[in-house]
Every structure is written in structure tokens, then in C-alpha cells.
Amino acid sequence: MAGNDWINSYLEAILDSGPGLEDAKSSLLLRERGRFSPTRYFVDNVIGFDETDLHRSWIRAQATRSPQERNTRLENMCWRIWNLARQKRLLEEKEAQRLSKRHMEREKGRREAVADMSEDLSEGEKGDVSAHGESTRGRLPRISSVDTMEAFANQQKGKKMYIVLISLHGLIRGENMELGRDSDTGGQVKYVVELARALGSMPGVYRVDLLTRQVSSPDLDYSYAEPTEMLPPRDSEDFMGEMGESSGAYIVRIPFGPKDKYIAKELLWPHVHEFVDGALNHILQMSKVLGEQIGGGNPVWPVAIHGHYADAGDSASLLSGALNVPMLFTGHSLGRDKMEQLLRQGRLSRDEINSTYKIMRRIEAEELALDASEIVITSTRQEIEEQWRLYDGFDPILERKLRARIRRNVSCYGRFMPRMSVIPPGMEFHHIVPHDGDIDGETEESEDHQASPDPPIWTEIMRFFTNPRKPMILALARPDPKKNLTTLVKAFGECRPLQELANLTLIMGNRDNVDEMSSTSASVLLSILKLIDKYDLYGQVAYPKHHKQADVPDIYRLAARTKGVFINPAFIEPFGLTLIEAAAHGLPMVATKNGGPVDINRVLDNGLLIDPHDQQSISDALLKLVSEKQLWAKCRHNGLKNIHLFSWPAHCKTYLSKIAACKPRQPRWLKTDDDDDDENSESESPSDSLRDIQDISLNLKFSLDGERNDGRGTDEYSVNPEDQKSRLETAVMTLSKGGMKGTQKPGSTEKGDLNTGSGKFPSLRRRKYIFVIAVDSDAIADLFESVRMIFAAVEKERTEGLIGFILATSFTMSEVHSFLVSEGVSPTDFDAYICNSGADLYYSSPQSEENPFVVDLYYHSHIEYRWGGEGLRKTLARWAASIVDKGDDGKQVVTEDEKISTDYCYAFKVRKPELVPPVKEIRKLMRIHALRCHVIYCQNGRKINVIPVLGSRSQALRYLYLRWGMDLSNMAVFVGESGDTDIEGLIGGINKSVILKGVSCGTSNQLHANRSYPLADVVPVDSPNIVQANEGCRSTDMRNLLEELGVFKG
């Protein structure tokens, strides 16, 4: 307990005594009150885990005149310290047990994965692959000359790439960034803006969109409400990008979440799906615009979508899956690492951490980003080796094996890990001119030019100092505990030689009133002010209230002119962009040894590294640099000499080379459409196509659910599967093309087409409204009770053909079809069927009563990314065999249901749901095995569906929007009060949602009891697009709710 050394003897004695404290009969309170100690009760159950007020309590106790009262107060403190130490010890023990369990799980998973692949690597084969998967032989050199950049530019000629970046939280704009305004508007904001600007200037890049949140709050500047903002290049002379009507870099603000309120990133999670829908609409429209400009009329899809931080990583995963394009991810700060640090501090329990920071939702988003990403970009190797390895989805050792197998063209049996690439952030240096003068302005000026006046920020800082000529120790960070500024002030205050040689400047964001700051920031600032008073540092420490982003270079210049030092004492620094900025202005650095500064100092060699927990280490390093002028000059020279290695062109060249290495992906039907359009003068008729469909895909036994042929059928089904797939694709595309060209007769009305069923295929393309019924239950009969009620509520619009219905369910197509037949329901009552939890997609076809369904095989190609196939199935089967009922002679609880499993959905029957581990445990196990999939508990836990990682019912709806142009804002999704474990994806977005209370609320609640994070953390309950229907809702009540939602407006 730092600062409480005065009590160490008490602490040691109490810890040594252990349980004997109960028998401390000599205790004053125990003598007076018997064996019950109200002090101990207060400490155990009220005060909790906090030592911040111990020193204050000690001072009060010492000032107490009455010996009895002083003894009582000291005893209270002893109990408090004992409680504090006990809780820390318990936490350490739990943490050690957790780490041990995790290590065993990781080792077991790695052994099983290697055994499944049945082939290990020799030491020689391992030698040329680093721990994070990059070949040390083939690593691209950084750009260090104009000639190299020109050669790179020549290679990019002819390319016209569209790149999408996503950064959701904070206040983002191109100029006058309000860095430090709050904890969400920091270095990440500056990084993404400068990255977008730099990429937009690179050869081969036509357009870059930086997607963020639009905020129209009266408390914020109007610029944050502008839908689009262009980011012009810093220097037009260096611009090497493509020129065109829509070319360049742009900030695009997507409205989502509260419309007139700026909220913290922890509160954005319920609104992620709304952002994804809005972003998908923007990208689709922009792709069409770019297609007209540079694509010859064909849409120009993004070459990559790059998510920054966990919330944007979650969004990028969904967008990447919806668009079928490669994804990149940068974590910036990682949730598991933050949780480990908070637990070590011991101030908050795991539940309190999750409640405050929504940390488990953040961690799950980062795990999903690992599942979906082609490349994870980091700033340092430390981030890979010490932070990413904490995640279930990344194992450096297993990743090395997989990378080597890929290089040798050996199968990985469905296993995958993203490539980790270290690309340090860049910086613009051309406008920086380091000054060699001192504070009196004695620079090398020509006789014809007078020195420019001092910037106003210099006066604002120097007014704090008694002697402003002394070297300045500069720290630039927001007042956040993890930035460790209080330790810096203590180190300065307790080192008299350092005070005599230097001043200290703390640039801690902007503030008007301490009371208006967040509680955390205010607490740090007040602690610093108290330390300044304690050590009487007035006249030696500057802490200005305001500065502009444009003032930051001038602040660096001031520190350099005083021959000062820049310091970053953070407990851990993911990268440290300010260190590069300081070096570019000629400032040596003192920085934490934890994180990115290690790599920066290795390259620049311009300073000293310190232990941020060691106050003496900080003061010694600062004193050494300030007092030894030759060392200071050497560090300054090295920094200026090597700083070009961190330029933006260097960063972007490496960045674009990584994107080029990704396998291009886009929706599969696009190329077919183009090819077929050139040959459609003699296209086959819809009736011919239907014959193909009837012959191939609509026989229930063979492929209604995509089942594999077992060879027991008749010769009719002995056709080559590839030929069957090819014929089916042709048939489905011919149907859809026939609809697109239109078959209605001159003078006929759209209403007539809707009623007769002619025209566009599938039918949902001609509907004004789309109703998605996604009610979950363990019996299909219960599902259709809700269907009939919804049908009755909109009978008029349904009869007129204005509403198209989609059934989204965990049941198979054959189960749905059987029930439709038994109940006398027409298959054409639904335009589309999303089955097997989103693994399969079918359309109804009114031309054939015998075989009324058409399967969309392009949907399979759309979601098959990273599908583990047979390797995944074997691992799942082994897991299922391990779940046994010990009280029932070890009978297996989970069994594979081969009868209803399909190529993209492995189904398992569950005999006793209460004995099955939570869904998060299976996801964790699959990730440890490097198998990427989406595990869904459904039908009240009686069934488990395992589908591709980017497949789901909500993603299937986005696919339908992308392919057939459904208007998501005219879509209403009906769900139960509870449901399958994928229900959160169906609530939210720009569509309307109707929650049927009392439906699916039985044992399915147990499915959500053991979630990684509460469902309330991700459901936007206050959204105007969500309504709840009361239990026992009738059709008339439903009609009123839909009108209240505005479904039928316009």
C-alpha cells in the first residue's frame, strides 16, 4: 500500500495472527461489546475494498487527545487494513487459480488441435516464422527514401481502391480536434483521422471513408452533426492519390443511438446494430456511385473494412460478413488487459468492473473481431506477446503452426487465426522545424528576418513559473489514473536536485470547472493539486486549464527550446504517439517500460525507459537527462535522425501491402450477374428453370435442408453434386433475372402484380413492408400461434400483397414444411424462410405446389468464410461425448443429430439442458481450438446449432437487403420475451421490433442466465423503434402497436 508505510508493522502483525484475531480478548471494543465487533462488521460489509482514506484516518487518529478514542480509532484502522489485505490475498488466490485453469485449457486445446491435424512441424520449419506469424525473412522494409516511394507509387498505378475505416466513440472531426475533452476523445481519434487522411493521399487509393457517430447535441459544436466532412491532404504537393468527383478521404457520420445526446462508449453497445444498418446503407450507395465513376457501371466494393477499438471491431465484423469483404482490426486498448489491471489494483470486484465498463461485452466483441479478421494490426510486439495472447481466439504457438502449414499448402482442417502485423502509427513531419535556440530566442536568424512573436500558449504556461528559463519536463495526458501523473508529481516533489534544475508542465486536457469533470478525472486532478501544495511546488509546476489542438506543436517547441524532456509515465502505454511527436520536435524522452515505448525507443534510441511503479526510477531518469547535457544532445540527435521511420507514407505503404495480401472477396452473385447479362438474349424461361429446381433441390429427402446424399436414393439423385449446384445456381439466377426484367403487361398495375404473383422473384422484392417472424419456442406449433395472430392483425395489407413475410427460425426447412402441410398453411404465405438459425435461406415459389421452395446457394457462399467443416464437426462430436450424466450411468447428454444436420449447420440434441455448460464455454473451447463458428442454444436448450461465424438470422436479413433491396426501415421484426441465444441480434437496428411478452419466456431464460454479459447491456430498451406487446396480445392490440410504431405510415 503505497504511502502507508507507517502502518506496515501493524499489517504484518495482523496478517501473522490470522484467525487468532477472533480471540483478541484484550481488544478494547471486544471487552466492551463482547465477541461482536461493530467495527469489524462495518469494515467487512460496508467499507469494502478501499485504502484511499487510510492516511487521512491516521492523521485524525494522531490528532485525537483522548487516549481511549485514539486507541479505538487505531483499532478501527487495524481492522480496515486487515480486511484490505485479506481481500487482496483472496483476489490473488482466485487470479492464480484462474490463470492456472486457463493455461491447462490452452495446452489441452493446442494438443488436441495438433493431434487433429495429425502432422507437426520440425524445428527447421519453425525457424523462419515469428511468434505472431510473420515471416522474419519476408518482412517488408520501411520506406526510407523518395526513390522507394516513387517505386511504390508506380506499382499502384491503375488501382482505384475504396477503403472503409470505423471508429465509433469520441468526438471526431478533421480540424481543431478536442483531444482530452473526455476519456473517449484521445489519441485514437487523432490516429484514425490522420490515417484516413494519409490513405486518401496514397497512390492506388481512390476513396477512404471514416465512419463514426453523428451527434446533434446543443452541448457540442455543430460540426459533429455534419453528415460528411472532407479531409484534404496536409500538403497538396505530396498528394499522390487518384483525382475524381468522389475521391479523397472523408469523415462520414452515421446517426445512431440517442439523437441529441453525446454518450460514453460504454453506453453505445445497445446501438451497434443500428450503426451497422446505417453504415451498410451508406456503403451500398457509395459503391454504386463509385461504380458509375470508376467501375464501368459495376459496384465498387470496399477492398477492406477496418475497425478501431472493440465497438468498431464488432461493427466491422457484422459489416464484413454482410458484404463478404475482408476485415482488418486494431484494438488500441484491449479489454482483457484492462480487466487484469483493474483486478490487480483490487479496488473493484469483477462484477463491479463489468457494471462500470461493460468489460465482458467489450471482450466478446474483441473475440468476434479475432474470429472475423484477416489481419490484426498492432503498434508493438508487446501488444501481441502480452495482450492478445490473453484471448481465447489467439494462441501464438498454435498460430505459428497454422501459418507454417499454410505456407506448405497443408490442410489446417478448418482452423484459422488472423495474421498479426506490427505497423507503428505514422506522423506528418514536413511542417516541423526543430529549434536550436534557447528560451531567450537566440536562434540562428538571418539579419533580414526577425524572430516571430512567441505563441500565446507559451505565455499561458510560463506565467506559472518563478524561473521559466529552467528546462521543462513536459507530460501531456488526460487526468486518468492509468496515466500515472500523481506518481510523476511525487517523484518531482521528493527530488530536490530535480526541482532546482527543472520545471514541470502538466497538459491535462481542457477544463472549465473541476466540479463539471467526471469523478475519475476530478479525483486525479485534485490529488495532483494537493501534492503540489504538500511539496510546496508553486512556481515550479504548470497546469494550464485550456489549450487548443493547434497549440500542441508549440508546447513541444517550448519544451525543446528550454532543453527539456518529454515524459510518459503511464502504467501501460499501448503505443505512445506523443513520444513520436515529441521526438520530431527534438525532445528526448523518458517513458514507461510497459508497452509501445519499448519498440519506439529501440528504433529512435532517444531516451530512457522507467518502471512506472518505481518513483525513484522516474526521478533518476529525469535528473540524468536534464543534468547530463551530452546525453541530452545525443538523444535529441538520434530522435531527429530516425524519426522518418514513423512517417505516414511509410505506415500506409506497409498497410496497403497487407491489404493486397488478403484474398479479394465480394458477393458471389455480382460476377454471375455481369456474365449472364451479356448472354441473356436467349435466356431459358422460368418454367424451364423450375423443372431444374424440381429435379434437383426441392425433393425433401435430398436437399431441402442441404443434406448430403447417403447413396440410398434412386438414380434420380445420383447426379454429381457439383453439377447439381451449378444447375441450381443457373435456375435461381434465371428466375431472379426474369423478375428483374419484368413480365408485367403494358397497362397492368403494381397491385395487380402483387395479387397475381407474377413479376419479380423472389416475391419480397415487390413488397412495401416486410414482417419477420423470429419468435423462438421448443415446439413449432407454439410458433405458429404467434404467426396466426400477426397474420390476423394485418389481414387487409396481407391480402393486397403489400406485406411480405419472412420466417426466421432454428427449425429445419423440412420441419417447417411438414407443419405447413399438416396445418393447411400455404408455403407462399411466406416470401422467404431463414432456417437452421441463419445457416440456410429459401424462397417460396408460387409456380410449383409440389416443390414450393428455392434454396439460395449464393447465401451459403456468402457465409462460408472460415467455416471449419469436417474438422469442426469432429471437435464438436468429441466435446458432445464428454458431456455425460453421472447420475444416470454416465449416459451422454448431448448427441449429434446427423438426420437434420446440413453442410452449414451441425445440429445436436440435448437430453438434459441443465447439465450442458453455458454457450460461452463452447464458444471459448472452439476458439481455443482455432475453430471459428457461431454456437447457438435454441428451442429452450433442447437443441444446439453450430453455424458459420458470420452467419445468423440477423445477418441473413442484411443479406436479403443487400441482394434484393429490401428497405430495412420498413421492416418489422417480431420476437418473444426471451428466446435463442442469438436473439440480441434481432432487437435493434433501424428496423422496428415488437417484443411479445409472455412468449418464449419459460425455461429459455436459463439460456441467458450464464451469458458473458447481461442481455440488458446490448438491448436498446429506450429505442422508439421497439415496443412490447402485453401477454395475451390479440390481433387488434397488435394492429394498434404497429400503427404506434409507424409501420404503415406513408
Side-chain angles (χ1 to χ4, degrees):
M1 290 174 288
N4 295 326
D5 296 335
W6 42 270
I7 206 71
N8 279 344
S9 58
Y10 279 95
L11 177 59
E12 294 300 325
I14 292 172
L15 291 176
D16 289 342
S17 63
L21 285 168
E22 294 289 344
D23 302 323
K25 299 292 185 181
S26 61
S27 166
L28 175 65
L29 287 178
L30 291 181
R31 284 200 307 271
E32 291 179 351
R33 304 182 184 276
R35 298 191 62 83
F36 172 73
S37 170
T39 302
R40 180 171 184 179
Y41 176 83
F42 179 73
V43 168
D44 282 348
N45 297 281
V46 181
I47 293 179
F49 201 169
D50 186 9
E51 79 254 31
T52 54
D53 294 330
L54 278 178
H55 192 265
R56 190 181 307 165
S57 300
W58 165 255
I59 293 174
R60 284 200 299 266
Q62 288 291 90
T64 303
R65 294 184 177 181
S66 168
Q68 183 174 347
E69 185 178 351
R70 182 165 57 249
N71 290 339
T72 301
R73 289 196 176 202
L74 289 175
E75 184 182 24
N76 290 353
M77 290 192 66
C78 289
W79 281 119
R80 188 169 181 179
I81 294 169
W82 174 80
N83 180 70
L84 180 68
R86 181 189 63 175
Q87 291 196 41
K88 282 190 174 181
R89 179 175 291 180
L90 290 174
L91 278 179
E92 289 171 357
E93 291 175 356
K94 289 181 179 178
E95 184 67 9
Q97 292 173 359
R98 188 183 66 82
L99 292 176
S100 175
K101 179 183 177 182
R102 175 179 175 78
H103 177 73
M104 290 189 293
E105 289 175 340
R106 179 67 64 88
E107 288 294 325
K108 180 181 178 181
R110 188 185 301 146
R111 287 195 305 269
E112 291 178 349
V114 172
D116 287 346
M117 292 187 290
S118 69
E119 185 176 358
D120 210 341
L121 302 175
S122 66
E123 290 301 317
E125 290 171 318
K126 296 176 183 177
D128 62 343
V129 181
S130 66
H132 47 82
E134 289 187 316
S135 171
T136 54
R137 299 181 199 163
R139 188 173 297 138
L140 289 165
R142 285 193 167 275
I143 301 174
S144 56
S145 70
V146 175
D147 293 338
T148 308
M149 176 52 74
E150 289 179 352
F152 174 75
N154 291 331
Q155 294 174 1
Q156 302 303 309
K157 283 184 177 178
K159 294 183 179 179
K160 295 184 178 181
M161 291 183 282
Y162 174 34
I163 299 173
V164 174
L165 311 178
I166 305 175
S167 183
L168 297 186
H169 62 264
L171 298 171
I172 297 180
R173 63 184 179 188
E175 303 297 335
N176 298 320
M177 288 177 272
E178 300 183 80
L179 303 183
R181 177 185 174 119
D182 55 62
S183 60
D184 292 349
T185 309
Q188 178 184 327
V189 168
K190 182 174 182 180
Y191 170 79
V192 294
V193 170
E194 294 303 324
L195 173 61
R197 194 193 306 272
L199 284 173
S201 302
M202 292 297 289
V205 177
Y206 187 79
R207 182 179 174 101
V208 178
D209 281 342
L210 170 56
L211 308 185
T212 188
R213 181 171 177 243
Q214 184 184 43
V215 188
S216 303
S217 171
D219 300 328
L220 301 176
D221 189 80
Y222 72 93
S223 58
Y224 299 115
E226 292 293 328
T228 305
E229 178 185 349
M230 188 174 185
L231 296 173
R234 289 296 186 194
D235 189 346
S236 57
E237 295 179 1
D238 295 339
F239 180 75
M240 295 175 288
E242 298 288 338
M243 297 297 292
E245 184 179 349
S246 300
S247 63
Y250 297 83
I251 297 174
V252 179
R253 298 183 178 91
I254 307 294
F256 70 100
K259 298 185 183 303
D260 58 352
K261 186 179 180 182
Y262 174 60
I263 59 177
K265 59 180 177 288
E266 290 81 10
L267 303 179
L268 285 177
W269 291 112
H271 311 288
V272 164
H273 286 277
E274 185 181 358
F275 166 79
V276 171
D277 291 345
L280 188 60
N281 180 64
H282 167 78
I283 294 172
L284 185 60
Q285 298 304 318
M286 183 52 59
S287 296
K288 293 177 181 177
V289 170
L290 297 181
E292 295 297 325
Q293 294 178 13
I294 60 175
N298 300 316
V300 175
W301 296 94
V303 295
I305 297 177
H306 187 172
H308 294 267
Y309 194 79
D311 47 14
D314 191 77
S315 304
S317 301
L318 298 176
L319 283 169
S320 169
L323 293 163
N324 197 27
V325 298
M327 174 189 163
L328 284 67
F329 180 60
T330 299
H332 291 277
S333 170
L334 298 182
R336 282 198 188 277
D337 183 64
K338 180 168 184 172
M339 186 168 67
E340 300 283 340
Q341 293 184 52
L342 292 172
L343 287 173
R344 280 198 295 268
Q345 290 176 11
R347 297 181 184 276
L348 298 173
S349 67
R350 187 177 292 267
D351 289 340
E352 290 170 332
I353 292 171
N354 189 47
S355 175
T356 303
Y357 299 102
K358 305 295 184 287
I359 202 80
M360 298 311 297
R361 178 65 183 90
R362 174 178 168 183
I363 290 171
E364 179 59 28
E366 290 161 343
E367 292 280 12
L368 178 60
L370 283 174
D371 291 340
S373 295
E374 297 268 4
I375 299 172
V376 174
I377 295 177
T378 71
S379 300
T380 65
R381 301 188 191 285
Q382 185 270 350
E383 187 177 343
I384 300 171
E385 296 165 359
E386 297 184 21
Q387 297 183 47
W388 275 119
R389 72 182 306 149
L390 297 174
Y391 285 76
D392 302 326
F394 182 73
D395 179 353
I397 298 175
L398 185 54
E399 195 270 352
R400 181 175 60 190
K401 295 178 181 294
L402 294 175
R403 191 67 57 197
R405 295 176 73 90
I406 292 171
R407 194 173 59 248
R408 295 163 51 216
N409 292 320
V410 177
S411 172
C412 294
Y413 296 91
R415 288 168 170 81
F416 163 79
M417 281 192 184
R419 177 182 292 273
M420 294 280 174
S421 296
V422 179
I423 313 179
M427 184 179 170
E428 291 287 349
F429 303 119
H430 65 272
H431 63 285
I432 298 175
V433 180
H435 288 258
D436 294 323
D438 58 22
I439 192 63
D440 294 316
E442 297 175 357
T443 57
E444 296 180 2
E445 299 284 348
S446 66
E447 295 180 0
D448 298 332
H449 294 84
Q450 295 182 350
S452 59
D454 291 343
I457 191 65
W458 288 17
T459 304
E460 177 66 20
I461 292 174
M462 289 190 293
R463 70 182 178 87
F464 285 87
F465 299 135
T466 304
N467 182 3
R469 291 178 173 80
K470 290 195 293 185
M472 178 192 296
I473 298 169
L474 173 63
L476 198 157
R478 64 180 183 272
D480 188 294
K482 65 184 179 184
K483 298 300 181 181
N484 199 28
L485 294 177
T486 52
T487 304
L488 170 62
V489 177
K490 288 179 184 178
F492 184 77
E494 295 182 7
C495 183
R496 180 62 61 181
L498 189 58
Q499 294 178 41
E500 293 174 354
L501 288 176
N503 293 320
L504 176 62
T505 297
L506 304 173
I507 306 298
M508 299 179 288
N510 290 282
R511 63 187 183 277
D512 292 318
N513 190 322
V514 176
D515 293 335
E516 296 175 356
M517 301 173 67
S518 68
S519 58
T520 303
S521 298
S523 175
V524 172
L525 180 61
L526 289 174
S527 297
I528 289 173
L529 296 177
K530 290 177 181 179
L531 288 171
I532 291 173
D533 185 75
K534 175 184 177 180
Y535 295 113
D536 194 16
L537 298 177
Y538 299 106
Q540 296 175 283
V541 179
Y543 41 95
K545 294 180 67 172
H546 299 98
H547 74 281
K548 299 178 182 177
Q549 180 59 26
D551 293 331
V552 173
D554 292 327
I555 297 172
Y556 288 129
R557 285 177 51 222
L558 176 60
R561 290 188 65 176
T562 63
K563 300 190 184 313
V565 176
F566 182 81
I567 181 167
N568 182 337
F571 290 118
I572 185 167
E573 180 57 61
F575 180 66
L577 190 59
T578 53
L579 297 174
I580 297 175
E581 293 175 343
H585 287 83
L587 272 174
M589 73 171 188
V590 171
T592 176
K593 67 178 184 178
N594 300 327
V598 176
D599 289 339
I600 293 174
N601 194 52
R602 185 183 298 121
V603 174
L604 296 181
D605 190 21
N606 72 325
L608 304 173
L609 300 178
I610 49 93
D611 180 355
H613 298 278
D614 187 349
Q615 186 175 306
Q616 189 65 39
S617 170
I618 295 174
S619 57
D620 289 348
L622 289 171
L623 185 61
K624 185 178 181 68
L625 270 176
V626 170
S627 61
E628 298 182 18
K629 296 303 179 183
Q630 289 184 343
L631 176 62
W632 184 92
K634 178 184 176 182
C635 290
R636 169 187 167 87
H637 172 76
N638 289 346
L640 293 173
K641 180 181 69 174
N642 298 320
I643 197 65
H644 71 276
L645 297 174
F646 291 97
S647 68
W648 273 119
H651 177 96
C652 291
K653 186 259 183 180
T654 308
Y655 181 98
L656 292 174
S657 70
K658 299 297 182 184
I659 291 180
C662 296
K663 181 180 178 181
R665 288 159 47 206
Q666 66 177 19
R668 287 280 302 275
W669 70 82
L670 292 175
K671 183 177 179 181
T672 307
D673 283 352
D674 297 339
D675 294 344
D676 290 350
D677 279 339
D678 295 334
E679 306 168 355
N680 58 14
S681 58
E682 296 293 335
S683 62
E684 56 185 328
S685 68
S687 59
D688 293 335
S689 299
L690 280 173
R691 287 194 204 99
D692 284 340
I693 295 170
Q694 292 166 3
D695 289 343
I696 300 170
S697 68
L698 300 182
N699 182 281
L700 295 178
K701 181 175 181 179
F702 176 67
S703 65
L704 194 58
D705 293 312
E707 296 168 3
R708 294 176 291 274
N709 194 342
D710 59 6
R712 293 175 292 182
T714 63
D715 292 340
E716 182 181 356
Y717 305 109
S718 60
V719 185
N720 183 296
E722 291 299 321
D723 292 340
Q724 293 172 338
K725 183 174 181 178
S726 176
R727 290 170 61 195
L728 181 57
E729 290 177 353
T730 302
V732 173
M733 288 308 304
T734 302
L735 268 175
S736 59
K737 285 178 173 294
M740 283 186 279
K741 294 169 192 172
T743 59
Q744 65 187 64
K745 298 178 181 179
S748 65
T749 64
E750 184 69 16
K751 182 176 178 180
D753 287 340
L754 294 175
N755 289 332
T756 60
S758 63
K760 297 179 180 179
F761 176 87
S763 303
L764 56 86
R765 299 179 64 212
R766 48 189 165 82
R767 308 297 190 188
K768 186 173 182 180
Y769 309 105
I770 298 294
F771 281 16
V772 181
I773 301 177
V775 178
D776 300 319
S777 60
D778 56 350
I780 198 168
D782 297 335
L783 165 62
F784 272 85
E785 287 183 13
S786 300
V787 170
R788 293 187 183 92
M789 184 267 291
I790 296 169
F791 277 2
V794 293
E795 185 61 32
K796 177 176 177 291
E797 290 80 5
R798 178 168 165 261
T799 304
E800 294 176 350
L802 294 174
I803 299 178
F805 288 88
I806 298 174
L807 183 65
T809 179
S810 61
F811 293 102
T812 65
M813 189 69 251
S814 57
E815 289 173 314
V816 172
H817 184 250
S818 298
F819 188 80
L820 291 175
V821 172
S822 66
E823 293 294 314
V825 179
S826 172
T828 57
D829 284 344
F830 292 93
D831 292 337
Y833 297 84
I834 300 170
C835 299
N836 291 322
S837 301
D840 298 299
L841 175 61
Y842 298 84
Y843 308 110
S844 60
S845 175
Q847 284 87 353
S848 174
E849 295 183 2
E850 181 182 354
N851 298 301
F853 304 110
V854 178
V855 63
D856 190 336
L857 292 182
Y858 285 117
Y859 177 68
H860 286 160
S861 69
H862 206 75
I863 66 171
E864 67 181 356
Y865 176 73
R866 304 306 179 200
W867 179 236
E870 188 63 16
L872 171 63
R873 191 198 64 78
K874 289 181 178 179
T875 305
L876 288 168
R878 182 168 57 237
W879 166 81
S882 69
I883 309 299
V884 296
D885 184 359
K886 296 180 180 179
D888 192 7
D889 297 329
K891 287 185 178 179
Q892 194 168 330
V893 175
V894 182
T895 55
E896 184 178 3
D897 195 339
E898 297 185 12
K899 182 179 179 182
I900 63 173
S901 291
T902 70
D903 289 336
Y904 293 94
C905 177
Y906 296 142
F908 292 82
K909 292 185 293 187
V910 179
R911 190 165 55 87
K912 292 184 177 181
E914 65 275 10
L915 298 180
V916 180
V919 66
K920 62 183 180 182
E921 294 298 325
I922 311 181
R923 290 176 180 170
K924 175 182 177 180
L925 178 64
M926 295 302 107
R927 284 168 173 156
I928 289 176
H929 281 79
L931 292 164
R932 313 296 170 172
C933 58
H934 187 184
V935 181
I936 304 166
Y937 282 17
C938 43
Q939 298 174 22
N940 281 337
R942 296 287 177 181
K943 181 183 178 184
I944 300 174
N945 282 341
V946 182
I947 65 176
V949 66
L950 296 179
S952 69
R953 291 182 287 177
S954 59
Q955 286 292 84
L957 295 176
R958 294 190 177 103
Y959 170 89
L960 291 172
Y961 161 69
L962 188 71
R963 184 167 188 193
W964 304 117
M966 288 189 335
D967 188 348
L968 293 177
S969 63
N970 284 339
M971 177 189 295
V973 179
F974 298 83
V975 298
E977 187 174 356
S978 186
D980 300 349
T981 53
D982 66 340
I983 190 175
E984 68 185 66
L986 296 164
I987 306 176
I990 65 176
N991 57 270
K992 312 296 191 296
S993 299
V994 180
I995 300 175
L996 306 179
K997 296 192 70 174
V999 178
S1000 307
C1001 63
T1003 56
S1004 59
N1005 282 322
Q1006 299 174 8
L1007 302 182
H1008 301 278
N1010 294 316
R1011 297 172 58 92
S1012 299
Y1013 49 89
L1015 195 60
D1017 286 354
V1018 293
V1019 174
V1021 291
D1022 297 329
S1023 171
N1025 287 337
I1026 300 176
V1027 296
Q1028 295 194 15
N1030 294 327
E1031 189 170 351
C1033 176
R1034 296 174 299 178
S1035 59
T1036 54
D1037 300 325
M1038 178 58 65
R1039 177 80 189 192
N1040 293 334
L1041 279 176
L1042 293 173
E1043 291 177 351
E1044 177 186 329
L1045 269 178
V1047 171
F1048 299 123
K1049 287 183 180 180

